[in-house]
């Protein structure tokens, strides 16, 4: 139980769960833990249904925007996650939110599919040293999705992801290197 209380205090300080609503503190703590740590869609949806999350205009820092977006994203309410990701990426330089936003644009989740915007947000995330953003940006260049296909550029981003410790980036870099891509 101590773990849940500590998680609740940490999450509450990020602007999530400031209002437990009709839930007991214990039930609320369990939902937050199950939603964010276990990525349980039903627990996240219960937090949403209980009005436990801050509005986008009240997320005043990267953590509150990111974790609120994460609750919506896990609950597969992608359209509701988008404005939180945008605010975190554009206002607070939240690299994970830039990555998530790019992923939503690339896959058309909660927003109209747009490879050019996906590229822009992957680029920003990669520039903020988000390895996953670098991997996926390299993937756009490798496939030629929303950009002119350029395997050398794909290799460059795979290399950066590898330098940041991402195994997929290292694997992609190795494959492109074996193919003789300069």
């Amino acid at each position: 139980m101590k773990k849940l209380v500590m998680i609740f205090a940490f999450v509450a300080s990020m602007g999530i769960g400031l209002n437990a609503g009709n839930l007991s503190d214990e039930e609320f703590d369990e939902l937050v833990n199950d939603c964010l740590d276990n990525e349980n869609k039903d627990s996240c949806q219960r937090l949403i249904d209980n009005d436990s999350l801050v509005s986008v205009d009240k997320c005043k820092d990267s953590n509150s925007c990111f974790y609120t977006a994460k609750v919506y994203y896990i609950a597969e309410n992608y359209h509701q996650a988008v404005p939180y990701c945008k605010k975190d990426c554009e206002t607070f330089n939240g690299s994970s939110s830039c990555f998530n936003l790019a992923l939503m644009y690339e896959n058309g989740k909660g927003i109209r599919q747009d490879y050019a915007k996906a590229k822009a947000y992957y680029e920003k995330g990669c520039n903020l040293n988000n390895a996953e953003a670098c991997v996926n940006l390299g993937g756009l260049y490798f496939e030629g999705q929303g950009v002119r296909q350029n395997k050398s550029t794909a290799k460059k981003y795979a290399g950066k992801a590898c330098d940041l410790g991402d195994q997929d980036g290292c694997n992609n870099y190795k494959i492109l290197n074996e193919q003789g891509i300069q």
Side-chain angles (χ1 to χ4, degrees):
M1 182 59 163
K2 186 173 181 177
K3 179 182 177 190
L4 292 176
V5 172
M6 289 173 38
I7 290 171
F8 170 70
F10 177 67
V11 172
S13 73
M14 294 182 294
I16 297 179
L18 295 176
N19 177 9
N22 300 332
L23 302 171
S24 69
D25 287 344
E26 183 175 311
E27 184 179 15
F28 181 74
D29 294 347
E30 289 175 10
L31 284 175
V32 169
N33 180 50
D34 198 36
C35 170
L36 294 175
D37 290 348
N38 301 326
E39 297 191 1
N40 182 305
K41 177 182 174 182
D42 294 332
S43 293
C44 290
Q45 189 59 52
R46 287 204 52 212
L47 289 170
I48 294 165
D49 293 343
N50 198 52
D51 293 325
S52 298
L53 308 176
V54 297
S55 62
V56 75
D57 61 313
K58 291 188 179 173
C59 73
K60 302 288 186 196
D61 58 43
S62 183
N63 282 335
S64 64
C65 291
F66 173 77
Y67 284 103
T68 304
K70 185 173 180 178
V71 170
Y72 283 120
Y73 194 89
I74 293 168
E76 298 178 8
N77 293 336
Y78 304 113
H79 68 283
Q80 290 176 295
V82 168
Y84 292 92
C85 286
K86 278 187 179 180
K87 184 170 183 180
D88 185 29
C89 177
E90 294 171 0
T91 304
F92 304 116
N93 289 321
S95 69
S96 293
S97 289
C98 295
F99 169 75
N100 291 334
L101 188 55
L103 199 59
M104 288 187 279
Y105 273 114
E106 181 180 5
N107 296 306
K109 287 187 174 186
I111 202 161
R112 186 178 57 79
Q113 187 178 42
D114 186 330
Y115 288 115
K117 287 185 180 178
K119 175 198 173 271
Y121 285 112
Y122 281 139
E123 213 164 49
K124 182 167 185 177
C126 184
N127 288 337
L128 293 167
N129 293 325
N130 182 295
E132 292 174 305
C134 297
V135 169
N136 286 20
L137 181 57
L140 292 181
Y141 279 100
F142 184 83
E143 297 293 330
Q145 293 179 309
V147 296
R148 173 172 270 154
Q149 186 178 37
N150 186 324
K151 292 184 180 182
S152 293
T153 302
K155 182 180 175 183
K156 174 182 109 174
Y157 287 115
K160 180 170 182 179
C162 185
D163 290 345
L164 292 169
D166 188 280
Q167 190 59 50
D168 289 332
C170 295
N171 292 339
N172 293 348
Y173 185 84
K174 180 181 176 188
I175 290 167
L176 291 167
N177 200 46
E178 288 171 353
Q179 292 177 357
I181 305 300
Q182 296 299 314

